[in-house]
């Protein structure tokens, strides 16, 4: 927790906030941080006239200060049934990541919004360190659902609801048969700073199966009959590598930060070291 | 390469159904284990490359299927029994003649020659086809048909396994005759060529497994037999063997015994050895010696103050054959023949009984005819303590229970020739009236009593003809008829001389013949004492080769006996009318002791020793000669079908293991 408190969320873009926050804004305003001078025009607040400069130059200049703003930080957790796999489950790890990042945001006074695909139209929006318990309570209440809502629909609902710009962290395994591309495109269109944490379980990365099996998809009940063999496993690895590579290149092309993660990796390690190296926190 | 089908048509059909059945199993859907996965997204993409719905595509690259089909193909190949040089199989009748004589106990090949021979026969048996018939004959100095012709291989196998080791000599001719007789059952014993029942001789192959320690077979006619001689053993094998061991009394010193042994060395090198002599299990003496190659050497041990006991001579030399390194001999106590002479007076006879030779073997008691009425005679006669009673010019009222010699008198049961024919009995002696003079014309040379007698110059004043009782034998014939005969009486023998040496008359003693002063008379007396008195008691017990019968002279005093073999086996004997009993259970070398019932001390003993220089010679014959033919040894290799099906099956098994590994590990599709 102490480590998290020292961290802050980093946005590569500077967004306009609604309330005074702890971040410098592009907008000029009232703060102690000097930004520039400009000529006085009638109607300006006389308090910001730099009298020292007037004495030297005999002309009125107005001091402009940088406005400090808050940051909009959104976390979206994939709550499809596929996230319920792994030991610990991917969903649990995703919630840990979301909690860690949200806590960092709360400590810095950012506007933190946490939601899952299911609750994307009605996210919990909190601010301030004192809301930590509310954050955790909300995360606790989230669970994997078997709804038919696709990723694209959820993101669409999210975009409609949240008009503000900010940082979006999407934690998902991208195991969506209808594709993840359209969902990410929508977020990109909102000009948000997007981080995609691609969370995969060891069972997906290196499956340890034997014999003749009937694989049942836990989401749509799709069945695949396979006879495990070294060749098949080798081809699976190739497919997996291609899948990851495809997601990575898609993200890179659209300035989405792609962060691959394993569910058997501790969440604090992920946040403290991995996300720091990726530039999401510092 | 040749093929023998191991299966019948129906079995083949069943076997050929299996490969399509295996193939069809691959078409059928397997019952797969269900496994829930987060998403089949990646699997679907993976399988899209492989999973083509075509059935043949499904079988593509399925190593398991190929392994299973290959396994079946190999099984089928094994069932065809491919083999090499099948054309060497001869006939369908095979006779396995196995040597189990003493020399086959040699350990120059592992474990013994006999075991190697058995192993080779088992190999030969395994190579036969199901329709072949075989016969097993074991031979030593006699043939033993262990198993007659049969197709049942298991019976042949067990017959081979049951062949025991023996310590006997070797004589193959009987075995070959048995093989020829059994192989050619149609052989007629009649010379009549019109005998249409005579079947053609069936060709048969005799596999003779031996070390060849037998002589030439002479002009043995093998008929249609083909003999394959398989020599067993190493050709150069050193061995040392005792071929003779005997004990003799020293002629000069009565209390000294001499034990002789003869050692043979059939090998090619000079051998030095140590021989130890044990008396009743205790080391008595030891001696070292050496025998040159292909020579024999003698050993002499002097034994003092030894009257009886069991001797065992052991050669301390490590060679391949152990059975000929030990020899046994039993020292018999110096037994005296006791002779009762009942005579009114006969100087010639008494003098002849006083010779040193007779004194050495017999003690003589001389009594007058009045002794016959003495109760002591009755006791002595019934007790059979006396081995021989000589009645000179007198006759007892009742025949004693022992051997007798009548001189110039007749047994009490005899009848005269003038007796009525109705009273004639074939079991009694008959005598003619005294007449003379008589001249001996012929002497029976086959009887030990008369074999050395020269009677041509003997004159006889008066003699009577003798007709012996049933089974009797005339020993001397004169110009007036038989004058000396011998006949059995139960277990005893009676000899009757038809003329007296001297004749007591009222005027004194008159001489009836001049035989008493001839050289042949003491010879006659000695021979009579030796033969009718129970023979010479040699200091050493008789010895026979293993398996040979021995004639035992059983004491008349006892009825029941038992023979204890060296291995502790006892055989009960009941003495019949004959004093000699033939004992045949002499397989084990060693000292056999004969005990009378109720007597702790053995009454008789004999030894069984190998004593065969031919068996001790472990050289393996390269060939055996049969008349003018010679059969070369095929050595350790046998012309036989080389079967490969075992190797094929082994390969199939290895394949099965690989298939199992592939199935479990999925090392490769």
């Amino acid at each position: 927790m102490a480590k998290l408190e020292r961290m802050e969320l980093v946005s590569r873009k500077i967004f306009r906030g609604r309330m005074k926050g702890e971040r410098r804004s592009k907008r000029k305003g009232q703060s102690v941080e000097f930004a520039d001078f400009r000529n006085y025009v009638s109607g300006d607040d006389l308090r910001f006239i730099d009298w020292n400069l007037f004495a030297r130059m005999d002309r009125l200049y107005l001091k402009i200060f940088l406005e400090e703003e808050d940051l909009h930080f959104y976390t979206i957790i994939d709550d499809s049934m596929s996230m319920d796999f792994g030991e610990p489950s991917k969903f649990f790890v995703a919630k840990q990541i979301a909690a860690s990042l949200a806590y960092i945001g709360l400590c810095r006074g950012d506007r933190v919004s946490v939601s899952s695909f299911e609750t994307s139209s009605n996210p919990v929006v909190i601010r301030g360190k004192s809301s930590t318990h509310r954050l955790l309570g909300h995360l606790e209440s989230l669970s994997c659902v078997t709804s038919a809502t696709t990723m694209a629909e959820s993101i669409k609902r999210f975009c409609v609801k949240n008009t503000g710009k900010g940082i979006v962290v999407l934690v998902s395994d991208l195991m969506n048969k209808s594709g993840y591309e359209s969902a990410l495109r929508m977020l990109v269109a909102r000009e948000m700073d997007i981080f995609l944490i691609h969370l995969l379980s060891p069972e997906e990365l290196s499956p340890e199966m034997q014999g003749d099996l009937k694989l049942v998809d836990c989401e749509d009940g799709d069945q695949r009959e396979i006879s495990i063999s070294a060749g098949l496993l080798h081809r699976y690895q190739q497919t997996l590598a291609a899948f990851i590579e495809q997601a990575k290149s898609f993200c890179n092309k659209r300035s989405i930060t792609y962060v691959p993660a394993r569910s058997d990796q501790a969440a604090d390690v992920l946040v403290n070291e991995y996300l720091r190296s990726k530039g999401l926190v510092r | 390469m040749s093929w023998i089908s191991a299966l019948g048509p129906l079995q083949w059909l069943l076997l050929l159904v299996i490969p399509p059945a295996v193939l069809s199993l691959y078409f059928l859907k397997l019952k797969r284990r269900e496994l829930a996965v987060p998403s089949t997204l990646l699997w679907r993409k993976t399988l899209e490359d492989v999973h083509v719905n075509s059935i043949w595509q499904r079988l593509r690259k399925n190593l398991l299927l190929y392994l299973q089909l290959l396994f079946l193909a190999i099984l089928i190949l094994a069932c065809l029994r491919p083999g090499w040089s099948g054309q060497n199989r001869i006939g369908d009748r095979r006779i396995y003649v196995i040597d189990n004589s003493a020399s086959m106990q040699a350990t120059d090949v592992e474990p013994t020659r006999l075991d190697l021979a058995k192993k080779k026969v088992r190999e030969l048996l395994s190579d036969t086809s199901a329709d072949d018939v075989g016969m097993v004959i074991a031979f030593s100095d006699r043939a033993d048909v262990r198993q007659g012709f049969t197709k049942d291989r298991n019976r042949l196998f067990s017959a081979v396994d049951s062949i025991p080791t023996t310590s006997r000599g070797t004589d193959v001719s009987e075995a070959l005759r048995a093989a020829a007789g059994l192989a050619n059952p149609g052989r007629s014993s009649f010379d009549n060529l019109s005998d249409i029942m005579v079947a053609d001789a069936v060709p048969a192959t005799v596999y003779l497994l031996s070390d060849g320690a037998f002589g030439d077979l002479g002009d043995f006619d093998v008929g249609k037999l083909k003999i394959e001689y398989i020599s067993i053993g190493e050709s150069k094998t050193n061995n040392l063997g005792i071929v003779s061991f005997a004990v003799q009394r020293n002629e000069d010193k009565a209390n000294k015994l001499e034990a002789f042994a003869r050692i043979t060395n059939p090998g090619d090198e000079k051998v030095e050895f140590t021989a130890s002599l044990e008396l009743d299990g205790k080391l008595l003496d030891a001696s070292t010696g050496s025998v040159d190659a292909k020579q024999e050497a003698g050993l002499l041990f002097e034994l003092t103050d030894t009257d009886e006991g069991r001797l065992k001579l052991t050669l301390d030399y490590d060679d391949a054959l152990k059975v000929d390194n030990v020899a046994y001999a039993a020292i018999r106590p110096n037994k005296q023949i006791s002779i009762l002479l009942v005579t009114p007076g006969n100087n010639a006879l008494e003098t002849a009984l006083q010779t040193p030779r007779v004194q050495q073997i017999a003690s003589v008691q001389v009594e007058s005819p009045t002794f016959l009425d003495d109760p002591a005679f009755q006791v002595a006669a019934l007790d059979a303590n006396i081995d021989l009673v000589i009645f000179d010019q007198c006759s007892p009222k009742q025949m004693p229970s022992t051997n007798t010699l009548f001189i110039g008198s007749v047994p009490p049961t005899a009848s005269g020739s003038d007796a009525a024919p109705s009273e004639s009995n074939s079991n009694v002696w008959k005598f003619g009236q005294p007449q003379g003079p008589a001249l001996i014309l012929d002497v029976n040379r086959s009887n030990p009593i008369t074999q050395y007698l020269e009677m041509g110059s003997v004159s006889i004043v008066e003699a009577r003809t003798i007709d012996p009782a049933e089974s009797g034998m005339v020993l001397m014939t004169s110009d007036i008829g038989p004058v000396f005969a011998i006949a059995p009486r139960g277990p005893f023998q009676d000899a009757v001389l038809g003329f007296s040496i001297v004749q007591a008359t009222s005027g004194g003693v008159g001489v009836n013949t001049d035989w008493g002063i001839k050289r042949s008379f003491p010879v006659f007396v000695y021979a009579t004492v030796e033969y009718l008195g129970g023979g010479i008691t040699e200091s050493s017990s008789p010895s026979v080769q293993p398996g040979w019968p021995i004639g035992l002279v059983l004491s008349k005093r006892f009825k029941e006996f038992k023979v204890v073999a060296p291995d502790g086996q006892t055989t009960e004997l009941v003495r019949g009318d004959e004093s000699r009993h033939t004992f045949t259970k002499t397989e084990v070398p060693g000292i056999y002791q004969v005990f009378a019932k109720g007597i702790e001390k053995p009454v008789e003993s004999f030894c069984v020793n190998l004593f065969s220089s031919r068996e001790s010679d472990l050289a393996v014959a390269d060939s055996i000669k049969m008349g003018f033919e010679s059969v070369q040894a095929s050595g350790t290799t046998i012309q036989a079908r080389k079967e490969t099906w075992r190797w094929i099956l082994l390969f199939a098994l290895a394949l099965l293991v690989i298939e199992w590994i592939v199935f479990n590990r999925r090392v490769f599709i």
Side-chain angles (χ1 to χ4, degrees):
Chain A
M1 287 289 267
K3 271 188 200 168
L4 291 176
E5 279 173 24
R6 284 198 300 275
M7 289 180 179
E8 73 173 306
L9 295 166
V10 179
S11 172
R12 290 165 296 170
K13 296 175 180 177
I14 298 172
F15 303 112
R16 173 191 290 247
R18 282 193 183 148
M19 297 176 72
K20 265 179 96 73
E22 289 188 354
R23 281 164 205 283
R24 286 172 295 178
S25 168
K26 255 200 293 192
R27 290 188 290 167
K28 309 293 178 291
Q30 296 173 336
S31 78
V32 289
E33 202 156 342
F34 174 77
D36 203 355
F37 296 101
R38 71 169 168 85
N39 290 328
Y40 173 78
V41 290
S42 56
D44 282 339
D45 195 341
L46 296 176
R47 285 179 295 178
F48 295 109
I49 292 173
D50 191 340
W51 296 111
N52 294 331
L53 205 61
F54 174 73
R56 205 164 59 217
M57 310 279 288
D58 199 23
R59 287 175 74 172
L60 285 170
Y61 287 99
L62 213 63
K63 284 192 283 186
I64 302 170
F65 296 91
L66 282 178
E67 180 81 310
E68 286 194 333
E69 285 189 342
D70 61 349
L71 179 72
H72 285 210
F73 178 73
Y74 305 97
T75 310
I76 308 172
I77 304 170
D78 183 351
D79 62 352
S80 63
M81 284 304 285
S82 62
M83 289 292 284
D84 204 17
F85 273 83
E87 190 59 43
S89 73
K90 289 188 280 183
F91 192 62
F92 178 75
V93 177
K95 285 200 278 187
Q96 280 186 320
I97 294 167
S100 307
L101 294 175
Y103 183 69
I104 296 169
L106 291 178
C107 291
R108 293 286 169 182
D110 293 331
R111 180 177 178 274
V112 172
S113 160
V114 178
S115 67
S116 67
F117 283 179
E118 181 70 17
T119 60
S120 59
S121 55
N122 187 23
V124 170
V125 181
I126 45 174
R127 195 191 290 271
K129 201 175 168 184
S130 57
S131 304
T132 306
H133 285 291
R134 207 176 142 214
L135 167 78
L136 295 177
H138 176 67
L139 283 173
E140 196 70 30
S141 70
L142 292 180
S143 64
C144 289
V145 289
T146 51
S147 73
T149 50
T150 60
M151 189 174 177
E153 279 174 33
S154 305
I155 299 298
K156 191 178 169 187
R157 281 204 305 258
F158 169 80
C159 293
V160 169
K161 192 80 185 171
N162 299 288
T163 51
K165 292 171 184 171
I167 301 172
V168 176
V169 175
L170 178 62
V171 187
S172 173
D173 56 3
L174 301 183
M175 293 287 180
N176 201 308
K177 279 176 185 158
S178 56
Y180 54 85
E181 292 87 350
S182 60
L184 291 178
R185 268 194 212 104
M186 254 182 273
L187 289 175
V188 173
R190 301 292 299 182
E191 292 185 357
M192 286 183 161
D193 193 1
I194 308 165
F195 286 82
L196 173 64
I197 298 178
H198 192 186
L199 189 63
L200 288 172
S201 66
E203 288 84 352
E204 288 161 320
L205 290 166
S206 50
E208 288 180 356
M209 299 174 176
Q210 272 190 3
D212 298 307
L213 300 171
K214 185 193 271 183
L215 302 181
V216 182
D217 194 315
C218 64
E219 284 181 22
D220 56 6
D222 179 38
Q223 294 182 345
R224 293 286 148 181
E225 289 183 354
I226 58 160
S227 293
I228 298 295
S229 67
L232 189 72
L233 291 177
H234 181 65
R235 265 202 298 282
Y236 175 83
Q237 289 294 340
Q238 286 178 332
T239 311
L240 179 71
F243 176 68
I244 292 170
E245 190 56 40
Q246 196 186 358
K248 200 171 178 178
S249 80
F250 180 86
C251 294
N252 287 347
K253 278 179 192 165
R254 288 160 184 80
S255 301
I256 300 169
T257 307
Y258 176 81
V259 183
R262 293 174 65 100
S263 66
D264 56 347
Q265 210 170 14
D268 62 326
V269 175
L270 186 82
V271 173
N272 287 339
E273 292 167 16
Y274 206 57
L275 289 180
R276 181 181 280 184
S277 73
K278 288 284 177 182
L280 179 61
V281 293
R282 80 177 161 219
Chain B
M1 172 77 96
S2 65
W3 309 86
I4 303 169
S5 174
L7 302 176
L10 191 70
Q11 290 162 322
W12 271 117
L13 210 64
L14 279 172
L15 193 67
L16 292 175
V17 163
I18 297 173
V22 170
L23 207 60
S24 64
L25 281 176
Y26 275 80
F27 292 124
L28 297 174
K29 277 207 162 192
L30 290 171
K31 184 168 172 59
R32 291 166 189 273
R33 190 158 54 93
E34 284 198 6
L35 184 74
V37 288
S39 175
T40 52
L41 177 72
L42 293 175
W43 288 110
R44 195 177 60 185
K45 284 183 181 171
T46 305
L47 292 169
E48 268 168 7
D49 304 337
V50 193
H51 232 102
V52 183
N53 284 333
S54 160
I55 281 167
W56 298 112
Q57 289 289 341
R58 189 188 291 189
L59 297 177
R60 188 171 58 104
K61 280 190 173 179
N62 196 325
L63 185 62
L64 268 184
L65 174 68
Y66 294 145
L67 283 175
Q68 283 164 8
L69 288 179
L70 190 61
F71 173 70
L72 280 170
I74 288 166
L75 272 190
I76 291 168
L77 188 71
C79 286
L80 282 168
R81 278 186 68 186
W84 313 105
S85 64
Q87 67 272 17
N88 284 338
R89 294 177 62 245
I90 306 149
D92 287 325
R93 284 165 171 258
R94 291 154 175 239
I95 303 166
Y96 305 97
V97 179
I98 301 159
D99 187 353
N100 67 341
S101 63
S103 58
M104 293 296 277
Q105 292 181 28
T107 52
D108 55 336
V109 289
E110 287 294 324
T112 64
R113 288 183 176 184
L114 181 62
D115 288 326
L116 182 70
K118 285 184 185 180
K119 189 179 159 221
K120 282 187 184 297
V121 172
R122 278 196 289 270
E123 283 169 10
L124 284 170
L125 278 172
S126 330
D127 289 337
T128 55
S129 76
D131 291 330
D132 286 351
V133 288
M135 177 162 82
V136 178
I137 301 176
F139 75 95
S140 48
D141 53 3
R142 68 200 67 173
D144 180 11
V145 179
R146 308 293 298 187
Q147 174 63 53
F149 275 121
T150 180
K151 283 186 183 178
D152 188 345
R153 222 180 287 179
N154 288 333
R155 284 170 70 180
L156 292 170
F157 273 123
S158 58
V160 170
D161 290 337
S162 69
I163 294 173
T165 55
T166 68
S167 303
R168 297 182 180 190
T170 315
D171 181 10
V172 74
S173 58
E174 194 184 332
L176 288 180
R177 260 195 295 279
L182 288 162
N184 307 320
R187 271 194 176 174
S188 174
S189 53
F190 304 105
D191 293 332
N192 187 359
L193 290 174
S194 64
D195 183 0
I196 53 163
M197 294 300 286
V198 174
D200 286 339
V202 184
T205 307
V206 172
Y207 292 98
L208 176 60
L209 291 99
S210 172
D211 50 11
F214 45 81
D216 292 352
L217 293 172
D219 53 351
F220 178 70
D221 175 26
V222 293
K224 293 228 170 186
L225 290 179
K226 184 181 189 308
I227 295 187
E228 291 262 337
Y229 167 51
I230 299 157
S231 64
I232 304 287
E234 302 283 335
S235 53
K236 293 213 169 191
T237 305
N238 277 339
N239 186 40
L240 214 56
I242 304 172
V243 289
S244 167
F245 181 51
V247 181
Q248 265 192 357
R249 274 183 210 286
N250 194 318
E251 295 282 340
D252 305 326
K253 298 164 191 167
N255 63 337
K256 278 206 171 177
L257 286 169
E258 287 169 335
F260 295 99
R262 207 149 48 85
I263 319 289
T264 183
N265 174 20
D268 298 324
E269 293 165 15
K270 184 180 177 181
V271 169
E272 295 196 344
F273 62 89
T274 311
S276 47
L277 184 69
E278 290 174 30
L279 178 69
D280 291 328
K282 287 173 188 161
L283 188 66
L284 192 71
D285 201 353
S287 169
T288 54
S290 63
V291 200
D292 290 333
K294 308 236 182 264
Q295 293 296 321
E296 289 185 349
L299 271 183
L300 175 63
F301 295 95
E302 286 212 339
L303 317 172
T304 45
D305 300 328
T306 308
D307 193 36
E308 60 181 310
R310 288 169 291 166
L311 285 176
K312 180 183 176 189
L313 179 70
T314 313
L315 290 184
D316 301 326
Y317 180 69
D318 188 26
D319 57 16
L321 190 61
K322 298 278 179 277
V323 69
D324 63 355
N325 290 358
V326 185
Y328 303 91
I331 309 168
R332 286 208 285 211
N334 203 355
K335 187 187 149 198
Q336 288 275 313
I337 302 167
S338 71
I339 298 169
L340 175 65
L341 172 62
V342 187
T343 178
N346 188 338
N347 278 336
L349 187 57
E350 284 173 43
T351 309
L353 286 170
Q354 296 296 323
T355 57
R357 286 296 292 272
V358 175
Q359 287 291 313
Q360 203 170 2
I361 62 167
S363 60
V364 183
Q365 183 187 354
V366 185
E367 298 290 347
S368 67
T370 51
F371 178 69
L372 294 176
D373 300 324
D374 198 309
F377 171 72
Q378 304 296 334
V379 172
L382 290 171
D383 212 19
N385 276 335
I386 295 163
D387 296 300
L388 173 64
V389 184
I390 303 173
F391 296 103
D392 183 30
Q393 307 160 66
C394 60
S395 177
K397 292 188 183 73
Q398 195 188 346
M399 289 298 278
S401 302
T402 184
N403 295 340
T404 58
L405 171 66
F406 289 85
I407 299 173
S409 57
V410 292
T413 51
S415 66
S417 62
D418 51 350
S422 61
E423 290 175 20
S424 70
N425 189 337
S426 63
N427 207 16
V428 296
W429 291 79
K430 296 188 187 74
F431 299 92
Q433 289 301 316
Q435 50 185 295
L439 203 63
I440 304 298
L441 299 180
D442 186 30
V443 171
N444 189 336
R445 297 285 177 199
S446 65
N447 191 281
I449 297 177
T450 50
Q451 62 181 338
Y452 300 121
L453 293 187
E454 192 52 62
M455 301 295 285
S457 60
V458 174
S459 320
I460 301 161
V461 177
E462 198 176 53
R464 58 171 81 194
T465 57
I466 295 160
D467 185 11
E470 195 182 27
S471 313
M473 186 194 284
V474 173
L475 300 179
M476 273 185 212
T477 311
S478 72
D479 54 344
I480 58 165
V483 291
F484 185 37
I486 188 164
R489 168 171 53 90
F492 312 112
Q493 284 193 309
D494 300 323
V496 179
L497 191 63
F499 56 92
S500 58
I501 312 299
V502 291
Q503 191 69 54
T505 59
S506 54
V509 175
V511 176
N512 189 36
T513 173
D514 60 350
W515 193 24
I517 57 164
K518 299 279 181 190
R519 217 176 282 165
S520 60
F521 188 67
V523 175
F524 162 74
V525 171
Y526 180 76
T528 308
V529 167
E530 192 184 55
Y531 181 72
L532 290 178
I536 303 168
T537 53
E538 286 181 3
S539 42
S540 152
S541 296
S543 173
V544 288
Q545 288 198 336
W548 283 86
I550 184 165
L552 295 177
V553 182
L554 300 175
S555 168
K556 302 168 194 104
R557 271 179 274 174
F558 307 102
K559 186 85 177 152
E560 291 174 31
F561 299 87
K562 65 172 180 182
V563 181
V564 180
D567 56 358
Q569 205 178 345
T570 59
T571 311
E572 301 287 339
L573 295 180
V574 177
R575 187 172 61 84
D577 290 341
E578 293 288 322
S579 58
R580 284 177 77 85
H581 189 283
T582 305
F583 184 76
T584 52
K585 294 180 180 175
T586 54
E587 291 293 339
V588 187
I591 296 172
Y592 290 66
Q593 289 180 307
V594 185
F595 291 90
K597 193 174 182 184
I599 306 288
E600 271 185 35
K601 225 174 150 188
V603 293
E604 178 63 290
S605 58
F606 61 92
C607 308
V608 174
N609 287 301
L610 180 60
F611 290 167
S612 166
S613 49
R614 184 178 275 171
E615 293 300 323
S616 294
D617 187 355
L618 294 181
V620 177
D622 296 332
S623 63
I624 50 173
K625 280 185 181 160
M626 252 173 281
F628 300 106
E629 277 185 75
S630 170
V631 179
Q632 286 295 323
S634 52
T636 48
T637 56
I638 301 160
Q639 281 283 356
R641 188 180 157 80
K642 292 278 174 242
E643 294 278 7
T644 45
W645 61 272
R646 284 190 191 84
W647 293 109
I648 295 172
L649 271 190
L650 211 63
F651 180 62
L653 202 67
L655 205 68
L656 202 64
V657 171
I658 293 168
E659 197 220 336
W660 179 245
I661 293 167
V662 167
F663 176 73
N664 276 286
R665 307 291 289 275
R666 298 286 171 149
V667 287
F668 185 76
I669 274 195

